[in-house]
Amino acid sequence: MNQNKQAALAAVEKKAPLVADVADSVWEYAELSLQEERSCAKYCAVLAQEGFTVEKGICGIPTAFSAAYGSGRPVIGLLAEYDALSGLSQKAESLTREERIPGGCGHGCGHNLLGAGAFAAALGVKAYLEKSGVSGTVVLYGCPGEEGGAAKAFMARENLWRALDAALTWHPDDVNEVVTGSSNSCIQTQYHFTGVAAHAAGDPDRGRSALDAVELMNLGVQFLREHMSDKARVHYAITDAGGRSPNVVQPRSSVLCIWCGPTMWRRR
Ligand SMILES: [Zn+2]
């Protein structure tokens, strides 16, 4: 391995405590998609401290950022994510289910590591550029809302990636491997149903249940699964079940669906 690459690896090793601190902090912040204020602020602070030129709130997304180092081509992008999931609060280093905050959010698939790993890579490339003196720019992009919100799609719409020669990303897993396949594309849709409220015991015939509509829709999704590609997924969460009284015909109800598939058009 040449000296420049050795310098890159040595820089990552040297910064390991900082990288671990970022990963641990983001684990504790555990913020939902597009609400990653503290996580984003943490990244922006440490990247500025490490000599990167940081721009926060890019593409009109408050918790997105870019952090650049170097000059000229090639321009290499690294993608960091840092959003959490609801209901998965978990104490660090516990191998059993232990909520850190009851009912709180948590990192189900390691986005605290995902962002921190990309940050470590950016530090390594910076050291490489410094040591070698070659032309080149590394840009770490803070990409919020991977679990929902899809900030990267809006960043693409703003032509953010056009300035790049290449972009690299990764995702924590239980094995070390290079994945060359394609990912599912994904659409998220929020459905709102409106019915007519009534006392469910006194005047049930006068009510029209919006919650029934959500249940029927979800049942339809179960039947749809038989006819989907093996790779396709549909996930849903009832985000509004109406009210809290069972003896009321619920006048409103909402379900949030994520539709994922290798293609977003129907095969004929
Ligand atoms: Zn993930």
Side-chain angles (χ1 to χ4, degrees), residues 163-251:
L164 300 179
D165 290 293
L168 297 160
T169 191
W170 77 291
H171 195 288
D173 209 328
D174 51 8
V175 289
N176 281 327
E177 62 177 352
V178 175
V179 179
T180 55
S182 179
S183 300
N184 275 349
S185 57
C186 169
I187 292 173
Q188 190 167 261
T189 327
Q190 175 90 60
Y191 298 90
H192 300 287
F193 291 89
T194 306
V196 178
H199 194 283
D203 294 296
D205 54 308
R206 301 182 71 180
R208 297 292 179 269
S209 173
L211 182 57
D212 284 358
V214 164
E215 291 195 281
L216 285 167
M217 178 172 160
N218 291 346
L219 186 62
V221 166
Q222 312 314 338
F223 285 115
L224 180 66
R225 291 187 200 279
E226 185 186 357
H227 309 288
M228 302 189 319
S229 151
D230 287 350
K231 295 199 170 93
R233 303 282 183 272
V234 183
H235 314 295
Y236 56 78
I238 298 176
T239 51
D240 180 5
R244 298 178 67 88
S245 304
N247 54 346
V248 167
V249 176
Q250 307 301 344

Side-chain angles (χ1 to χ4, degrees), residues 109 111 146-147 171:
C109 59
H111 288 191
E146 192 273 343
E147 303 287 7
H171 195 288

